[in-house]
């Protein structure tokens, strides 16, 4: 299948950001994509103080715009993530997946929240604004089964292994790494999760906007089940097209049977 990872230029203007996403989704469809992917917080800067202002419930205006875009363009749409207002007023960092008929095929609420509080240094506490999710997310397409995680979730191999155990052969990662962690860890973790689990990983980020308080690293990329970077963007707005071949996943797992040779009988920690 042909996939388009969309790297939009995100600003503080919510409506402009949604219009940008819609324009690039339509361009992806014209380019032959059968699935389009948006980045984390595609209509909202990474600023926790702004999340309540931008947040919408499932079924809200932005959600509906993405549902309509999937249907109008006849493709699968992994709609990055958005601040979602929950039933009790809490806010989640949620990724919605829409099928080509516009129906919602899956929702992943970011499970691991980015909390850093260094004395005399950086303080970045996502949990002060966002409630964590608790569910492993996979969804089926005519091409194969996909998994979804959001940004900081990539730091946790346990979640990727559970997603693979649930049948995923490609895992999509809407994310916004920053200018400190991005150069060091973005490619490294995407490749590591790919090779450890013998899956495609698709890391989708926004373009770099130096005017934001949290500057995105950008560099959307795709890694093969061998852990190779097969496609990559730079820092500008653009669309990254790639082919996802689930036969390649099977081939890699046969040639190097890592998953088959796991020792589940010894993976329980026993302390004397």
């Amino acid at each position: 299948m042909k996939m388009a990872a969309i790297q939009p230029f995100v600003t503080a203007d919510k409506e402009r950001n949604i219009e940008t996403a819609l324009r690039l989704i339509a361009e992806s469809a014209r380019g032959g994509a059968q699935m389009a992917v948006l980045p984390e917080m595609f209509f909202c800067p990474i600023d926790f103080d702004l999340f309540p202002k931008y947040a919408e419930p499932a079924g809200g205006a932005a959600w509906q715009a993405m549902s309509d875009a999937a249907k109008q363009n006849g493709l699968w749409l992994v709609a990055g993530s958005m601040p979602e207002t929950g039933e009790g007023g809490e806010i989640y960092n949620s990724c919605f997946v829409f099928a080509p008929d516009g129906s919602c095929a899956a929702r992943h609420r970011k499970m691991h929240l980015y909390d850093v509080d260094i004395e005399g240094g950086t303080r970045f506490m996502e949990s002060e604004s966002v409630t964590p999710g608790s569910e492993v997310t996979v969804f089926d397409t005519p091409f194969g089964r996909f998994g979804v995680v959001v940004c900081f979730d990539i730091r946790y191999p346990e979640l990727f292994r559970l997603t693979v155990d649930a049948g995923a052969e490609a895992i999509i990662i809407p994310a916004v790494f920053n200018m400190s962690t991005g150069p060091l860890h973005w490619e490294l973790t995407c490749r590591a999760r790919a090779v450890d689990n013998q899956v495609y990983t698709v890391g989708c980020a926004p373009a770099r906007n130096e005017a934001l308080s949290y500057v995105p690293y950008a560099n959307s990329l795709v890694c093969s089940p061998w852990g190779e970077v097969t496609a990559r963007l730079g820092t500008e707005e653009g669309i990254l097209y790639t082919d996802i071949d689930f036969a390649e996943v099977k081939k890699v797992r046969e040639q190097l049977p890592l998953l088959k040779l796991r020792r589940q009988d010894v993976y329980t920690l026993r302390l004397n």
Side-chain angles (χ1 to χ4, degrees):
M1 64 158 290
K2 188 172 185 179
M3 176 185 287
I6 295 171
Q7 184 166 281
F9 189 80
V10 175
T11 71
D13 186 330
K14 178 179 179 179
E15 297 307 317
R16 176 182 169 186
N17 294 334
I18 293 173
E19 289 173 4
T20 297
L22 294 174
R23 170 175 56 83
L24 293 172
I25 292 166
E27 184 178 338
S28 299
R30 290 193 296 271
Q34 295 155 298
M35 178 181 288
V37 181
L38 291 168
E40 181 183 26
M41 294 296 166
F42 71 92
F43 67 64
C44 179
I46 300 294
D47 184 334
F48 302 142
D49 291 337
L50 292 178
F51 284 2
K53 174 184 175 182
Y54 285 76
E56 296 183 5
W63 186 100
Q64 190 61 57
M66 294 302 107
S67 170
D68 292 344
K71 185 174 183 178
Q72 290 165 6
N73 291 285
L75 47 61
W76 289 85
L77 176 60
V78 181
S81 81
M82 61 181 74
E84 177 206 359
T85 307
E87 296 77 7
E90 65 278 14
I91 295 174
Y92 298 94
N93 186 341
S94 298
C95 175
F96 293 94
V97 179
F98 298 96
D101 65 358
S103 61
C104 185
R107 174 180 62 189
H108 179 75
R109 287 171 166 171
K110 185 177 181 181
M111 193 179 295
H112 301 91
L113 303 183
Y114 186 37
D115 281 3
V116 177
D117 191 1
I118 302 171
E119 186 175 353
T122 301
R123 188 176 192 279
F124 199 85
M125 302 293 290
E126 188 172 13
S127 65
E128 291 183 354
S129 300
V130 177
T131 299
S134 58
E135 295 182 356
V136 175
T137 305
V138 296
F139 64 96
D140 289 312
T141 73
F143 317 103
R145 178 170 286 188
F146 290 81
V148 181
V149 303
V150 173
C151 200
F152 201 55
D153 285 339
I154 197 175
R155 301 282 190 177
Y156 297 87
E158 300 92 336
L159 175 55
F160 274 72
R161 183 50 53 86
L162 288 172
T163 305
V164 169
D165 285 345
E169 295 181 311
I171 299 179
I172 298 168
I173 312 149
V176 189
F177 271 47
N178 60 40
M179 295 301 296
S180 297
T181 60
L184 288 172
H185 296 156
W186 175 234
E187 178 182 321
L188 175 67
T189 48
C190 284
R191 293 182 67 188
R193 298 295 89 81
V195 75
D196 283 349
N197 296 288
Q198 301 180 302
V199 293
Y200 286 95
T201 56
V202 181
C204 188
R208 190 170 301 169
N209 183 350
E210 303 278 358
L212 299 176
S213 59
Y214 183 103
V215 179
Y217 176 59
N219 286 274
S220 297
L221 54 77
V222 178
C223 298
S224 76
W226 278 116
E228 301 169 310
V229 176
T230 58
R232 184 171 191 153
L233 290 177
T235 62
E236 302 299 320
E237 181 172 282
I239 301 173
L240 182 65
Y241 292 100
T242 190
D243 290 322
I244 301 295
D245 181 2
F246 286 100
E248 180 68 11
V249 176
K250 182 179 179 181
K251 179 180 174 182
V252 169
R253 291 179 179 181
E254 288 174 349
Q255 292 178 336
L256 186 62
L258 299 180
L259 300 175
K260 186 184 297 183
L261 297 178
R262 286 184 292 171
R263 287 290 309 277
Q264 302 282 38
D265 58 314
V266 298
Y267 294 156
T268 300
L269 182 63
R270 298 178 179 86
L271 298 177
N272 294 328

